[in-house]
Amino acid sequence: MASPSSEDACQDSAALSLSDLESLHHVRSRSASFSSTGSSGRLQLRQRVAQLMACVEDISSDDEINEGVSRTLDEAFLIWGKKLKDKWQEFRLHVVTWNVGTASPPPDVSSLLQLDSLGATMDMYVIGLQEVNSKITNFLSDLAFDDPWSIFLMTVLSPLGYIKLSSVRMQGLLLLIFVKHVHLPFIRDLHTQFTRTGLYGYWGNKGGVTIRMSLYGHTVCFMNCHLPAHMENTEQRLDDFEKILEMQFEGENIPSALEHDVLFWFGDLNFRIADYGIHFVRESINNKRYNLLWEKDQLKPLVSEPLVTLSPEGEWSAEHDVLINYSAVPEFPSSAWDWIGLFKVTFKHVNDYVTYSWVEDDEISSNKDGKQVYMSAAEIPDVGGEFLLCFYSNNLQSVVGVSQPFQIQPNRTLIGKELPQEDNSWMQRPDNPESHDEF
C-alpha cells in the first residue's frame, strides 16, 4: 500500500540528486546563485527548482550544454524515483482489539500502542474496543460529547502528530482511527456503519461497527465485532458474522465489506478451541505445536483430510471392467450428479478426463466402510500408462478427492497390432458431466 515518505527523506533524496545542477548558474546572468541561506526543507527545494527552470528557459536546443543538462536531469529523476518508490512501499498500521469490560481508560497505553518502540513510527492506529461502558447515563452523555476513551486516546496521540480521522459507536462497541497529518490528503470516501445482532437484531450489545475509506487509492475496510459468547454458540457466531457482512453498507453506493481491496476483521469474536483445557492450549502455544489447536479451532479449522478418499481396485487394463473404491466423510454433501473421472497424471484441467463414471448410476456395492463404482472396459485406454482418479462434487463445484497415481496395463490382446490413437473427443461429448445441472 503506497504512502509518501517523510518530508525530510523526500527533501534529502531530491536535494542530493539536484546538487550537481548548481554549476548551471552561469548560463543565466540575471539568476541568483543557488544559495540556501535563509531557506530550509521543502521551501528551499522549491526555490532551487524554480531557479533551475529559469536557467533551462535560456538553453536552446542546439546549445552545447543542452545535452548535459538533459542527462543530469534524467539521472536526478531516476535516483529520486528509485528512492521514492522504496519509501512508498510501506504503510505502518497498528490494529488494537480490546474488551475493556466497562473499565475506564488506564493510566498508560505506551506498551499497547508501542509508543516506546525504537523502530519506525506508525502511520495509522486502528483501535477497536468492546464493552465500553454503555449504561444509559454514560451512553447519552457520550452521544453529546466524545466518550472517555476517545478523549483519552486523543490526549495520548495528538502530541505525537496524530488526529482522530473517524469513529463509530454502537452501544459498547467503539471503533477509532487515528492517522498522521501527512496522510490526510490521500484518505477519501470515509464511511461508517453499524449492524446490530443482539436480540435478533434489535439490540446493539452484539454486532459490528465498520469504517471504510480509500487510502492512497486502495479501498480498505476495518470491522470491529462482538459476537455471542460460550462454547456451544459456534453456529450463532457464524450466523451473526454472515449477517454483519450482508448488512454493512447495504443499499448504499459503496462496495460491500468483501469487495474492498483489504478487509481487517477483528474484535471479541468469542470463537474457542474446542475440547481442550486452558493448560493444554497454553502448553501447545508455548511449544509452537499449533497443529494440535487448528484441528479444534472453531473459526478457520485446519483442513488436513480430503472429503473423499478413493483408489483403484486391483490391476487395471482394458481387458475387463474395473472397480473404484471410495469413502466420504459424514458431512460430505453428496449429489446424484457427482462423478469420478479417470485422468492422465499430466491432465490440464478438470474436463481433461479420459472417461468417467456417475457415482450413483454406476455404483455396484455399498457398506459402512465405503462404496464401489465400476468403469467399463470399453472406456479404459488400450495403450495403458500412468493415471489417477478424481472425485468431482457437483454441490461444491470442485474436485474433493484425488487418488494416488497408478498404472494401467496395456491391452495384451492388441500386442503386435497397431494401438489406437489417443481419444480427444471428450470436448465434443454431449454427456460431458460438467454440462449437467442439478434440478
Side-chain angles (χ1 to χ4, degrees), residues 312-356:
E313 173 75 14
E315 182 180 279
W316 277 39
S317 79
E319 299 174 28
H320 53 78
D321 292 345
V322 293
L323 299 178
I324 302 166
N325 298 320
Y326 82 91
S327 60
V329 298
E331 64 270 22
F332 174 64
S334 61
S335 163
W337 299 108
D338 292 343
W339 52 275
I340 297 174
L342 176 66
F343 296 81
K344 287 189 172 184
V345 290
T346 56
F347 75 105
K348 301 177 181 65
H349 48 79
V350 73
N351 287 337
D352 191 18
Y353 53 82
V354 176
T355 185
Y356 65 89

Coordinates of all heavy atoms in Angstrom, one line a residue, residues 312-356:
P312 N -8.0 -47.2 -7.0 CA -8.4 -48.2 -7.9 C -8.4 -49.6 -7.2 O -7.5 -49.8 -6.3 CB -7.4 -48.1 -9.0 CG -6.1 -47.6 -8.3 CD -6.7 -46.7 -7.2
E313 N -9.2 -50.5 -7.6 CA -9.3 -51.8 -7.0 C -8.5 -52.8 -8.0 O -8.9 -52.9 -9.1 CB -10.7 -52.3 -6.9 CG -10.9 -53.8 -6.5 CD -10.6 -54.0 -5.0 OE1 -10.5 -53.0 -4.2 OE2 -10.5 -55.2 -4.6
G314 N -7.5 -53.5 -7.5 CA -6.8 -54.5 -8.2 C -6.0 -53.9 -9.4 O -5.7 -52.7 -9.5
E315 N -5.7 -54.8 -10.4 CA -4.9 -54.4 -11.6 C -5.9 -53.9 -12.6 O -6.9 -54.5 -12.9 CB -4.1 -55.5 -12.1 CG -3.3 -55.2 -13.3 CD -2.5 -56.4 -13.9 OE1 -1.5 -56.7 -13.3 OE2 -3.0 -57.0 -14.8
W316 N -5.5 -52.8 -13.3 CA -6.4 -52.2 -14.3 C -5.8 -52.4 -15.7 O -4.6 -52.3 -15.9 CB -6.5 -50.7 -14.1 CG -7.5 -50.3 -13.0 CD1 -7.8 -50.9 -11.9 CD2 -8.4 -49.1 -13.1 NE1 -8.8 -50.3 -11.2 CE2 -9.2 -49.2 -11.9 CE3 -8.6 -48.1 -14.0 CZ2 -10.2 -48.2 -11.7 CZ3 -9.6 -47.2 -13.8 CH2 -10.4 -47.2 -12.6
S317 N -6.7 -52.8 -16.6 CA -6.4 -52.8 -18.0 C -7.7 -52.8 -18.8 O -8.8 -52.9 -18.2 CB -5.6 -54.1 -18.4 OG -6.5 -55.2 -18.5
A318 N -7.6 -52.6 -20.1 CA -8.8 -52.5 -21.0 C -9.4 -53.9 -21.3 O -10.3 -54.0 -22.0 CB -8.4 -51.8 -22.3
E319 N -8.8 -54.9 -20.7 CA -9.3 -56.3 -20.9 C -10.5 -56.7 -20.1 O -11.2 -57.7 -20.4 CB -8.2 -57.3 -20.7 CG -6.9 -57.1 -21.6 CD -5.8 -58.0 -21.2 OE1 -6.1 -59.1 -20.6 OE2 -4.6 -57.6 -21.4
H320 N -10.8 -55.8 -19.1 CA -12.0 -56.1 -18.3 C -12.5 -54.9 -17.6 O -11.8 -53.9 -17.5 CB -11.6 -57.2 -17.2 CG -10.4 -56.8 -16.4 ND1 -10.5 -55.9 -15.4 CD2 -9.1 -57.2 -16.5 CE1 -9.3 -55.7 -14.8 NE2 -8.4 -56.5 -15.5
D321 N -13.8 -54.9 -17.1 CA -14.3 -53.8 -16.3 C -13.4 -53.6 -15.1 O -12.8 -54.6 -14.5 CB -15.7 -54.1 -15.9 CG -16.7 -54.0 -17.1 OD1 -16.2 -53.6 -18.2 OD2 -17.8 -54.5 -17.0
V322 N -13.4 -52.4 -14.6 CA -12.5 -52.1 -13.4 C -13.4 -51.5 -12.3 O -14.5 -51.0 -12.5 CB -11.4 -51.2 -13.8 CG1 -10.4 -51.9 -14.7 CG2 -11.9 -49.9 -14.4
L323 N -12.9 -51.6 -11.1 CA -13.6 -51.1 -9.9 C -12.9 -49.9 -9.2 O -11.6 -49.9 -9.2 CB -13.8 -52.2 -8.9 CG -14.7 -53.4 -9.4 CD1 -14.7 -54.5 -8.3 CD2 -16.1 -52.9 -9.8
I324 N -13.6 -49.0 -8.6 CA -13.1 -47.9 -7.8 C -13.7 -48.0 -6.4 O -14.9 -48.1 -6.3 CB -13.5 -46.6 -8.5 CG1 -13.0 -46.5 -9.9 CG2 -12.9 -45.4 -7.6 CD1 -13.6 -45.4 -10.7
N325 N -12.8 -47.9 -5.4 CA -13.3 -47.8 -4.0 C -13.2 -46.4 -3.6 O -12.3 -45.7 -3.9 CB -12.4 -48.7 -3.1 CG -12.4 -50.1 -3.5 OD1 -13.4 -50.7 -3.8 ND2 -11.2 -50.8 -3.5
Y326 N -14.3 -46.0 -2.9 CA -14.2 -44.6 -2.3 C -15.0 -44.5 -1.0 O -15.9 -45.3 -0.8 CB -14.7 -43.5 -3.3 CG -16.2 -43.4 -3.4 CD1 -16.9 -42.5 -2.6 CD2 -17.0 -44.1 -4.3 CE1 -18.2 -42.3 -2.7 CE2 -18.3 -44.0 -4.3 CZ -19.0 -43.0 -3.5 OH -20.3 -42.9 -3.6
S327 N -14.6 -43.6 -0.2 CA -15.4 -43.3 1.1 C -15.4 -41.8 1.3 O -14.4 -41.1 0.9 CB -14.8 -44.0 2.3 OG -13.4 -43.6 2.5
A328 N -16.5 -41.3 1.9 CA -16.6 -39.9 2.1 C -16.8 -39.6 3.6 O -17.3 -40.5 4.4 CB -17.8 -39.3 1.3
V329 N -16.4 -38.4 4.0 CA -16.6 -38.0 5.4 C -18.1 -37.9 5.7 O -18.9 -37.6 4.7 CB -15.9 -36.7 5.8 CG1 -14.4 -36.9 5.6 CG2 -16.3 -35.6 4.9
P330 N -18.6 -38.0 6.9 CA -20.1 -38.0 7.2 C -20.7 -36.7 6.7 O -21.9 -36.7 6.3 CB -20.1 -38.2 8.7 CG -18.9 -38.9 9.1 CD -17.8 -38.4 8.1
E331 N -20.0 -35.6 6.8 CA -20.7 -34.3 6.5 C -20.6 -33.9 5.0 O -21.0 -32.8 4.6 CB -20.0 -33.1 7.3 CG -18.6 -32.9 7.0 CD -17.6 -33.7 7.9 OE1 -18.0 -34.7 8.4 OE2 -16.5 -33.3 8.0
F332 N -20.1 -34.8 4.2 CA -19.9 -34.5 2.8 C -21.3 -34.4 2.1 O -22.1 -35.3 2.2 CB -19.1 -35.6 2.0 CG -19.1 -35.5 0.6 CD1 -18.4 -34.4 0.0 CD2 -19.7 -36.4 -0.3 CE1 -18.4 -34.2 -1.4 CE2 -19.6 -36.2 -1.7 CZ -19.0 -35.1 -2.2
P333 N -21.5 -33.3 1.4 CA -22.8 -33.0 0.7 C -22.9 -33.7 -0.7 O -22.7 -33.1 -1.7 CB -22.9 -31.5 0.6 CG -21.4 -31.1 0.4 CD -20.7 -32.1 1.2
S334 N -23.3 -35.0 -0.7 CA -23.3 -35.7 -1.9 C -24.4 -35.3 -2.8 O -25.4 -34.7 -2.4 CB -23.4 -37.2 -1.6 OG -24.6 -37.5 -0.9
S335 N -24.3 -35.7 -4.1 CA -25.3 -35.3 -5.1 C -25.4 -36.4 -6.1 O -24.4 -37.2 -6.4 CB -24.9 -34.0 -5.8 OG -25.6 -33.8 -7.0
A336 N -26.5 -36.6 -6.8 CA -26.7 -37.6 -7.8 C -25.8 -37.2 -9.0 O -25.6 -38.1 -9.9 CB -28.2 -37.6 -8.2
W337 N -25.3 -36.0 -9.1 CA -24.5 -35.6 -10.2 C -23.0 -35.6 -10.0 O -22.2 -35.2 -10.8 CB -24.9 -34.2 -10.7 CG -26.3 -34.0 -11.1 CD1 -27.3 -33.4 -10.4 CD2 -26.9 -34.6 -12.3 NE1 -28.5 -33.5 -11.1 CE2 -28.3 -34.2 -12.3 CE3 -26.4 -35.3 -13.4 CZ2 -29.2 -34.6 -13.3 CZ3 -27.3 -35.6 -14.4 CH2 -28.6 -35.3 -14.4
D338 N -22.6 -36.2 -8.8 CA -21.2 -36.4 -8.6 C -20.6 -37.5 -9.5 O -21.3 -38.4 -9.9 CB -21.0 -36.9 -7.1 CG -21.3 -35.8 -6.1 OD1 -21.4 -34.6 -6.5 OD2 -21.5 -36.1 -4.9
W339 N -19.4 -37.3 -9.9 CA -18.8 -38.3 -10.8 C -17.3 -38.5 -10.5 O -16.7 -37.6 -9.8 CB -19.0 -37.8 -12.3 CG -18.5 -36.4 -12.6 CD1 -19.2 -35.3 -12.5 CD2 -17.2 -36.0 -13.1 NE1 -18.5 -34.2 -12.9 CE2 -17.3 -34.6 -13.3 CE3 -16.1 -36.7 -13.5 CZ2 -16.2 -33.9 -13.8 CZ3 -15.0 -36.0 -14.0 CH2 -15.1 -34.6 -14.1
I340 N -16.8 -39.6 -10.9 CA -15.4 -39.9 -10.8 C -14.7 -40.0 -12.2 O -15.2 -40.7 -13.0 CB -15.2 -41.2 -10.0 CG1 -15.7 -41.2 -8.6 CG2 -13.7 -41.6 -10.0 CD1 -15.7 -42.5 -7.8
G341 N -13.7 -39.2 -12.4 CA -13.0 -39.2 -13.7 C -11.7 -39.9 -13.6 O -11.0 -39.9 -12.6
L342 N -11.3 -40.5 -14.8 CA -10.0 -41.1 -15.0 C -9.2 -40.1 -15.8 O -9.6 -39.7 -16.9 CB -10.2 -42.4 -15.7 CG -8.8 -43.1 -16.1 CD1 -8.1 -43.6 -14.8 CD2 -9.1 -44.3 -17.0
F343 N -8.0 -39.7 -15.2 CA -7.2 -38.7 -15.8 C -5.8 -39.2 -16.0 O -5.3 -40.0 -15.2 CB -7.1 -37.4 -14.9 CG -8.4 -36.7 -14.7 CD1 -9.3 -37.2 -13.8 CD2 -8.7 -35.6 -15.5 CE1 -10.5 -36.5 -13.6 CE2 -9.9 -34.9 -15.3 CZ -10.8 -35.3 -14.3
K344 N -5.1 -38.8 -17.1 CA -3.7 -38.9 -17.1 C -3.0 -38.1 -16.0 O -3.6 -37.1 -15.6 CB -3.1 -38.5 -18.5 CG -3.5 -39.5 -19.6 CD -2.7 -39.1 -20.9 CE -2.9 -40.2 -21.9 NZ -2.1 -39.9 -23.2
V345 N -1.9 -38.5 -15.6 CA -1.2 -37.7 -14.5 C -0.8 -36.4 -15.0 O -0.6 -35.4 -14.2 CB 0.0 -38.5 -13.9 CG1 -0.4 -39.7 -13.2 CG2 1.0 -38.8 -15.0
T346 N -0.8 -36.2 -16.3 CA -0.4 -34.9 -16.8 C -1.6 -34.1 -17.3 O -1.5 -33.2 -18.1 CB 0.6 -35.0 -18.0 OG1 -0.1 -35.9 -19.0 CG2 1.9 -35.7 -17.6
F347 N -2.8 -34.4 -16.7 CA -4.0 -33.7 -17.2 C -3.9 -32.2 -16.9 O -3.3 -31.7 -16.0 CB -5.3 -34.3 -16.6 CG -5.5 -34.0 -15.1 CD1 -6.5 -33.1 -14.8 CD2 -4.8 -34.6 -14.1 CE1 -6.8 -32.8 -13.4 CE2 -5.1 -34.3 -12.8 CZ -6.1 -33.4 -12.4
K348 N -4.6 -31.4 -17.7 CA -4.5 -30.0 -17.8 C -5.6 -29.2 -17.0 O -5.4 -28.2 -16.5 CB -4.5 -29.4 -19.2 CG -3.4 -30.0 -20.1 CD -3.5 -29.5 -21.5 CE -2.5 -30.1 -22.4 NZ -2.6 -31.6 -22.5
H349 N -6.8 -29.8 -16.9 CA -7.9 -29.2 -16.2 C -8.9 -30.2 -15.9 O -8.8 -31.4 -16.3 CB -8.5 -28.0 -16.9 CG -8.8 -28.3 -18.4 ND1 -9.9 -29.0 -18.8 CD2 -8.1 -28.0 -19.5 CE1 -9.9 -29.2 -20.1 NE2 -8.8 -28.6 -20.6
V350 N -10.0 -29.9 -15.2 CA -10.9 -30.9 -14.7 C -11.7 -31.5 -15.8 O -12.2 -32.6 -15.6 CB -11.9 -30.2 -13.7 CG1 -12.9 -29.3 -14.3 CG2 -12.6 -31.3 -12.8
N351 N -11.8 -30.9 -17.0 CA -12.5 -31.5 -18.1 C -11.6 -32.4 -19.0 O -12.1 -33.0 -20.0 CB -13.1 -30.4 -19.0 CG -14.4 -29.8 -18.4 OD1 -15.0 -30.4 -17.5 ND2 -14.7 -28.6 -18.8
D352 N -10.4 -32.4 -18.6 CA -9.4 -33.2 -19.4 C -9.3 -34.7 -19.0 O -8.3 -35.2 -18.8 CB -8.0 -32.5 -19.3 CG -7.0 -33.0 -20.3 OD1 -7.4 -33.6 -21.3 OD2 -5.8 -32.9 -20.0
Y353 N -10.5 -35.3 -18.8 CA -10.6 -36.7 -18.4 C -10.6 -37.6 -19.6 O -10.9 -37.2 -20.7 CB -11.8 -36.9 -17.5 CG -13.1 -36.5 -18.2 CD1 -13.7 -37.3 -19.1 CD2 -13.7 -35.2 -17.9 CE1 -14.9 -36.9 -19.8 CE2 -14.8 -34.8 -18.5 CZ -15.4 -35.6 -19.4 OH -16.6 -35.2 -20.1
V354 N -10.2 -38.9 -19.3 CA -10.2 -39.9 -20.3 C -11.6 -40.5 -20.4 O -12.2 -40.7 -21.5 CB -9.2 -41.0 -20.1 CG1 -9.3 -42.1 -21.1 CG2 -7.8 -40.4 -20.1
T355 N -12.2 -40.8 -19.2 CA -13.5 -41.3 -19.1 C -14.0 -41.0 -17.7 O -13.2 -40.5 -16.9 CB -13.6 -42.8 -19.4 OG1 -15.0 -43.2 -19.4 CG2 -12.9 -43.6 -18.4
Y356 N -15.3 -41.3 -17.4 CA -15.8 -41.0 -16.1 C -17.0 -42.0 -15.8 O -17.5 -42.6 -16.7 CB -16.3 -39.6 -16.0 CG -17.5 -39.3 -16.9 CD1 -18.8 -39.5 -16.5 CD2 -17.3 -38.8 -18.2 CE1 -19.9 -39.2 -17.3 CE2 -18.3 -38.6 -19.0 CZ -19.6 -38.8 -18.6 OH -20.7 -38.5 -19.4

